[in-house]
Amino acid sequence: MSDGKEVCAMLGAVETRSVSPVFVGRAGELTALTEALSRATAGEPQALLIGGEAGVGKTRLIEEFLDTACDHGAVVALGGCVELGADGLPFAPFAAALRALRRRLPDELTAAADGHEGELARLLPELGDPGSHEPSDEDSTARLFELTVRLLERLAADRTIVLVLEDLHWADASTRHLLTYLLRTLRRGRIVVVASYRADDIHRRHPLRPLLAELDRLRTIRRIELARFTRAEVHRQLTGILAAEPDPALVEEVFERSDGNAFFVEELVVSHESGCAAGQLSDSLRDLLLVRVETLPEGAQRVARIVAEGGSTVEYGLLAAVARLSEDELIEALRAAVGANILLAVPDGDGYRFRHSLVREAVSDDLLPGERSRLNRRYAEALEADPGLVRPHERTTRLATYWYHAHDPEKALPTVLRASVETRKRHAYAEQLSLLERAMELWDKVPAETRGSLRPIDYADAYPACGCDPETTSLRYLDLLAEAAVAARLSGERERAAKICRMAIRLLDSDENDPLRAAWFWTEMARLQSNLGKGDGWPEIARAQELVKGLPPSAVHATVLVGAAGWGMLRNPGPEALAAAERAVEYARFVKAEPIELNARITLGTIMVSAGDTEGGLAAMHEARERTIALGQFHEAARAHVNISSAMESLGRSREAVQTATTGIELARSRGLVDSAGWIRANLAESLLSLGEWDRSKEEAERLLRSGASSTKPGGTALLQLAHLATFRGEPARAAEHLAEARTRYGTRDPIPQYTLPTAQVEIAIAAAEGRLADVREQLAAIAETGFPPGTHRYGWPLVLTAVTAEADSRGLPAADEGRAEALALVRRCVRGLAIPAPVWEAHSRQVSEELARAEGRETAARWTEVVAAYEPLERPHQLARARHRLADALLVEGGRREEAAALLREAHATAVALGARPLREDVELLAARARLSLTPEKQAPAPAEPGEDGFGLTPREQDVLRLVAAGRTNRQIAEELFISPKTASVHVSNILAKLGVAGRGEAAALAHRLHLLDTPL
């Protein structure tokens, strides 16, 4: 038998002329592609999506563009999606494209993949052994995606690369997810990504439809929709095909029947040239596409039918084994099919494919049911007899597909299960789920003896062994359900995961007595309920705890306890959560489940910090972090960085938190842990905000929002930091926008204090900035109802401070008097429930106390001096500047210390300007103007105001009017009391508003009280 590649090469140039040698139309589309190539060559990555109906000319346009790209020295990597991908062959186009890059740039690709060959081998097996399967987690797929993007960026650093992915309408879920990640995160490199899809296949429920909608929202991606040819373009196409001027009647006939579809034009011309009149053709598309196939010799038609059922591409050796023809007969048949432009020899390979997928579909659909199953059986038998006929990483999946379509459940089930294991090892969880669902479909059709020979250790590892020996215990249907539930969760199909868990729980309730397995499924349900925003997961955890109560220690038992401890850590880190975490550590250690133990130790350390055992908790987390890194459990190591940086911030050690977060992000990114990096970056943004590095905090928050993190809550926290920043900078409308989006990301059915308390603080800050004191009080009352659980002081103190400051700022306003006593009593009640475990919270406590005093008109400079002294050793520039402003105000009211007050105001002003804290800057400038103090040190301070002057140029009469405005009088009431006309009173009020720079009477009254304009001159 001849070598398949030699045969392909021999037949590669054999074809009849049905394709126009002249490229017709598409000038605008080709220009868009070449412009993208130019921009990419200049260092700006480009992405384009080409859509159009089948046969409209997408491939021809891409071929023309690739010729141009090659002429410009670009490296082209082409990959096409295959229909087999729907049955579980993941990443097919990316694997093909990377394989092409490896052929063109072997040394460069090896260098770019250095250190990550094992991970990247999940995508391109030729890079090496992917190694043993790591525990499944939400980051495993994202890790592979991140490494793939970095690989492409490195390859495209010194050369232009054109990555083409064809036929996205057939893309497997993993390919769709990787493409989305690539297009969202690609920021560097000279690379053009071009993807094509068949638009007429994208029905309402097609899985590509939501991806296209998502990509439409990315401004960096350009969509190109190919329209059908006009009559003039069909005329040019016919001229090129016939190499002569076509008959006008033929042009008209072909245009009418093809409706401008380029491929149909070719088929109609071939039919016409072969002597078939147009009227002899069926109006159905399938019959039109089959016309040319039916003109082939019988042997060639038979080979075409075999190739159509073998997949998108069929290797020559496999084709020979299935066709069962002599070599000469097979080559002759192939020659006829290639010559008729039905089949094409695959470039850079040893196989054949249909020139157009429409023809393959038509030929496959024309097969009889028995004929189809017989061909699939032949494919399966040939592949079992000689596994080397296909690439190793495709073998099991294709074999599973062949046996399934051969309608042989006994053969199909074990093969489908092996294929599911392989896809799991490649982190292609969506394809694993599809295969597992196929296995569940086959389960009852397979004899019990065959099912009994299957072992869970071979096919399932989603949950720990539940008191049985996996070496001798048969695989159960529950094992498939557990694997499918985890695969669904990891692929983002959480609703399907929950449905599978409910199915398993019903089965366990009715037919099985297996409390450990039931507890495992309830624990999964708890996680899913929280992730789906349908609840907090506690009823499910409680049910799992009931099921394991009284049973001997096991890995499942430890998992349940970790779930309970984790729930308490986030929602109520009290004694019960601490006890659950301690027992989880104990149980996991007893059953030698170290990964579960390390997870539990991180949770335990976090709860210990919340409970007040600061050093013990931090030490426990640091120890667990070092151990996870040593064991290569990088997902748990990243989680340790999340919790340690959060704990540091809760203790006011923000600089250490930044250092821990920075190290954690480096670790997470180096391992492709995109979601973990998102959680850590959210903590980093929060700590930078505390330290006064506002611009950098904003940059980190926005970077997180641009990342490919799949979890929504880190993005919610990033938006929350942006909302805080907007309030600090005097942008309440923008803060409200960020807050609304953050709440959407957090959801409403699982109120976790670390989200609800900061969102309430921002809501209070916005209401205060807009003068809505009633809303401030309402928000505080709502929070006081639920209280402040242990460890939430970091959120409680800023919240209470924001509320009491609003009360103090509104002192003297008639509208604020009603309910003030109750509001201040509520502040005091809240304060009693807040811990003070660190100096930063001691400073907050002192500031809250003095704001309470200010709200009641009894503040003193001595106590404000203590507040300033408490903040000075801390890296909290904004809070320190606010305290200095209040101290300066108190000094000026008490009199006699103008130089000290001026120095404080200058320091506060410099900080406000540097931070961009507009409200604070304006308050400082207003107070300095009122006191006639210069904010520029080198300038001589103006003399103190004379009696009757206020620093704003208000006349004595205007001061009288302002007193009455502050008392809530109308213009008519002011006129009556001052014995002036209402018109004169109105003029005075307008002048006052202009001089104070405020928009209304309420703001004027508030400013008058805040700056003591109605008191003794400063």
Side-chain angles (χ1 to χ4, degrees), residues 511-654:
D511 301 328
E512 304 274 351
N513 182 22
D514 195 335
L516 282 179
R517 277 186 165 83
W520 184 91
F521 278 108
W522 279 111
T523 305
E524 276 292 298
M525 276 298 296
R527 181 192 305 209
L528 291 166
Q529 287 292 96
S530 177
N531 289 343
L532 288 167
K534 293 187 174 181
D536 62 7
W538 180 249
E540 291 77 15
I541 290 174
R543 177 63 178 141
Q545 287 182 301
E546 289 176 12
L547 288 165
V548 299
K549 187 180 295 183
L551 296 178
S554 67
V556 171
H557 205 146
T559 299
V560 172
L561 289 172
V562 169
W567 188 94
M569 177 188 72
L570 293 174
R571 297 165 180 86
N572 189 19
E576 290 185 6
L578 184 65
E582 290 172 337
R583 288 169 56 214
V585 171
E586 177 186 345
Y587 275 52
R589 187 176 294 157
F590 183 81
V591 298
K592 296 181 171 56
E594 190 169 15
I596 299 175
E597 179 191 344
L598 291 170
N599 185 2
R601 283 164 62 185
I602 295 169
T603 300
L604 175 61
T606 307
I607 298 173
M608 289 169 67
V609 172
S610 297
D613 186 1
T614 299
E615 296 308 319
L618 288 174
M621 286 191 282
H622 280 292
E623 184 180 344
R625 179 185 64 180
E626 298 309 313
R627 181 59 179 161
T628 54
I629 292 174
L631 294 176
Q633 295 178 355
F634 298 110
H635 182 266
E636 288 305 323
R639 177 172 177 254
H641 281 89
V642 174
N643 288 25
I644 292 171
S645 60
S646 178
M648 292 291 189
E649 178 64 22
S650 76
L651 297 170
R653 293 156 63 173
S654 301

Side-chain angles (χ1 to χ4, degrees), residues 5-133:
K5 291 185 178 181
E6 293 180 1
V7 176
C8 290
M10 179 173 61
L11 298 180
V14 179
E15 65 177 53
T16 59
R17 184 169 186 176
S18 64
V19 180
S20 171
V22 178
F23 183 67
V24 177
R26 313 302 187 205
E29 293 86 349
L30 187 58
T31 298
L33 288 164
T34 53
E35 287 177 352
L37 179 66
S38 299
R39 285 192 291 270
T41 302
E44 182 184 350
Q46 299 292 302
L48 303 98
L49 295 176
I50 301 176
E53 67 180 10
V56 81
K58 299 181 295 294
T59 299
R60 184 65 190 278
L61 172 62
I62 290 173
E63 289 172 350
E64 195 73 16
F65 167 61
L66 294 184
D67 287 343
T68 302
C70 290
D71 290 342
H72 285 77
V75 177
V76 171
L78 180 65
C81 302
V82 297
E83 284 186 289
L84 191 62
D87 289 337
L89 185 58
F91 307 120
F94 280 100
L98 290 178
R99 195 170 291 117
L101 287 174
R102 188 167 181 262
R103 284 193 298 269
R104 290 288 307 276
L105 306 168
D107 296 337
E108 293 86 345
L109 190 138
T110 299
D114 186 41
H116 301 290
E117 294 87 350
E119 280 288 344
L120 290 168
R122 303 178 194 277
L123 198 63
L124 183 61
E126 290 90 332
L127 287 177
D129 182 5
S132 59
H133 173 52

Side-chain angles (χ1 to χ4, degrees), residues 753-775:
Q754 70 182 53
Y755 305 137
T756 57
L757 293 177
T759 55
Q761 183 200 342
V762 174
E763 188 70 63
I764 289 172
I766 294 170
E770 295 175 346
R772 295 183 284 110
L773 187 62
D775 292 340

Side-chain angles (χ1 to χ4, degrees), residues 1 32 97 192 207 209 233 238 270 356 422 537 544 584 629 633 640 675 695 744 768 779 854 891 899 904:
M1 180 73 72
V192 182
R209 191 182 184 94
E233 288 168 334
L238 289 174
V270 170
H356 203 287
E422 291 189 3
I629 292 174
Q633 295 178 355
D675 266 17
D695 290 337
T744 299
Q779 280 286 334
R854 185 165 71 93
L891 289 172
E899 294 79 7
L904 288 165

Side-chain angles (χ1 to χ4, degrees), residues 340-414:
N341 217 14
I342 302 297
L343 297 180
L344 292 175
V346 178
D348 303 322
D350 63 346
Y352 293 86
R353 65 175 178 86
F354 277 81
R355 176 179 168 267
H356 203 287
S357 57
L358 284 173
V359 179
R360 185 178 72 80
E361 293 169 21
V363 173
S364 180
D365 289 344
D366 200 46
L367 294 172
L368 299 173
E371 187 179 13
R372 176 176 288 107
S373 60
R374 180 170 58 84
L375 283 176
N376 276 281
R377 177 174 292 277
R378 282 194 184 180
Y379 271 113
E381 290 170 346
L383 199 49
E384 283 193 339
D386 186 359
L389 292 174
V390 301
R391 290 188 178 94
H393 69 281
E394 296 182 9
R395 184 182 304 139
T396 306
T397 300
R398 289 178 64 176
L399 188 60
T401 300
Y402 293 144
W403 278 126
Y404 178 81
H405 289 296
H407 304 298
D408 190 330
E410 190 171 359
K411 286 278 194 179
L413 179 62

Side-chain angles (χ1 to χ4, degrees), residues 213 343 411 457 485 544 553 564 677 684 695 698 730 732 742 750 798 882 942 958 966 994 1013:
L343 297 180
K411 286 278 194 179
I457 197 170
L684 176 60
D695 290 337
K698 180 173 183 286
D750 184 12
R882 289 172 60 189
E958 287 170 344
L1013 298 182

Side-chain angles (χ1 to χ4, degrees), residues 95-406:
L98 290 178
R99 195 170 291 117
L101 287 174
R102 188 167 181 262
R103 284 193 298 269
R104 290 288 307 276
L105 306 168
D107 296 337
E108 293 86 345
L109 190 138
T110 299
D114 186 41
H116 301 290
E117 294 87 350
E119 280 288 344
L120 290 168
R122 303 178 194 277
L123 198 63
L124 183 61
E126 290 90 332
L127 287 177
D129 182 5
S132 59
H133 173 52
E134 298 176 0
S136 300
D137 58 64
E138 283 80 355
D139 272 321
S140 53
T141 304
R143 179 166 59 250
L144 177 61
F145 291 1
E146 175 70 9
L147 293 175
T148 304
V149 174
R150 289 170 57 193
L151 174 72
L152 291 171
E153 287 179 343
R154 289 173 181 171
L155 286 173
D158 302 319
R159 62 193 60 83
T160 303
I161 290 178
V162 178
L163 178 67
V164 179
L165 307 172
E166 290 195 290
D167 299 324
L168 282 185
H169 50 279
W170 286 332
D172 56 278
S174 293
T175 292
R176 295 194 300 271
H177 296 160
L178 176 50
L179 176 62
T180 304
Y181 187 88
L182 172 66
L183 297 182
R184 287 180 63 90
T185 61
L186 189 62
R187 294 290 180 268
R188 299 186 303 273
R190 297 160 52 183
I191 187 168
V192 182
V193 181
V194 179
S196 69
Y197 63 95
R198 192 189 290 179
D200 49 332
D201 273 9
I202 312 302
H203 51 76
R204 179 172 297 179
R205 295 185 179 180
H206 194 285
L208 188 63
R209 191 182 184 94
L211 182 147
L212 293 174
E214 180 178 355
L215 296 182
D216 274 342
R217 292 192 289 270
L218 300 179
R219 296 181 180 179
T220 55
I221 298 172
R222 178 166 182 179
R223 285 272 293 267
I224 296 176
E225 294 290 340
L226 295 189
R228 295 176 179 179
F229 280 162
T230 64
R231 180 180 277 97
E233 288 168 334
V234 168
H235 179 274
R236 289 185 59 201
Q237 185 183 6
L238 289 174
T239 303
I241 293 172
L242 300 173
E245 182 67 23
D247 184 274
L250 177 63
V251 173
E252 188 63 27
E253 178 183 322
V254 169
F255 177 70
E256 289 296 330
R257 296 193 65 80
S258 69
D259 204 17
N261 183 290
F263 180 67
F264 296 165
V265 170
E266 295 173 0
E267 295 301 304
L268 288 164
V269 171
V270 170
S271 176
H272 180 272
E273 291 297 294
S274 62
C276 296
Q280 295 177 297
L281 294 178
S282 167
D283 287 335
S284 75
L285 173 61
R286 187 180 67 178
D287 287 350
L288 171 62
L289 297 175
L290 288 175
V291 166
R292 196 191 309 188
V293 178
E294 292 171 350
T295 64
L296 294 173
E298 180 55 38
Q301 289 189 48
R302 179 185 173 194
V303 168
R305 288 193 291 270
I306 293 171
V307 173
E309 197 58 25
S312 294
T313 299
V314 179
E315 296 77 359
Y316 177 77
L318 181 59
L319 178 59
V322 175
R324 301 179 183 178
L325 298 172
S326 69
E327 184 173 12
D328 289 342
E329 290 174 327
L330 178 58
I331 291 175
E332 189 63 32
L334 286 170
R335 184 181 296 277
V338 171
N341 217 14
I342 302 297
L343 297 180
L344 292 175
V346 178
D348 303 322
D350 63 346
Y352 293 86
R353 65 175 178 86
F354 277 81
R355 176 179 168 267
H356 203 287
S357 57
L358 284 173
V359 179
R360 185 178 72 80
E361 293 169 21
V363 173
S364 180
D365 289 344
D366 200 46
L367 294 172
L368 299 173
E371 187 179 13
R372 176 176 288 107
S373 60
R374 180 170 58 84
L375 283 176
N376 276 281
R377 177 174 292 277
R378 282 194 184 180
Y379 271 113
E381 290 170 346
L383 199 49
E384 283 193 339
D386 186 359
L389 292 174
V390 301
R391 290 188 178 94
H393 69 281
E394 296 182 9
R395 184 182 304 139
T396 306
T397 300
R398 289 178 64 176
L399 188 60
T401 300
Y402 293 144
W403 278 126
Y404 178 81
H405 289 296

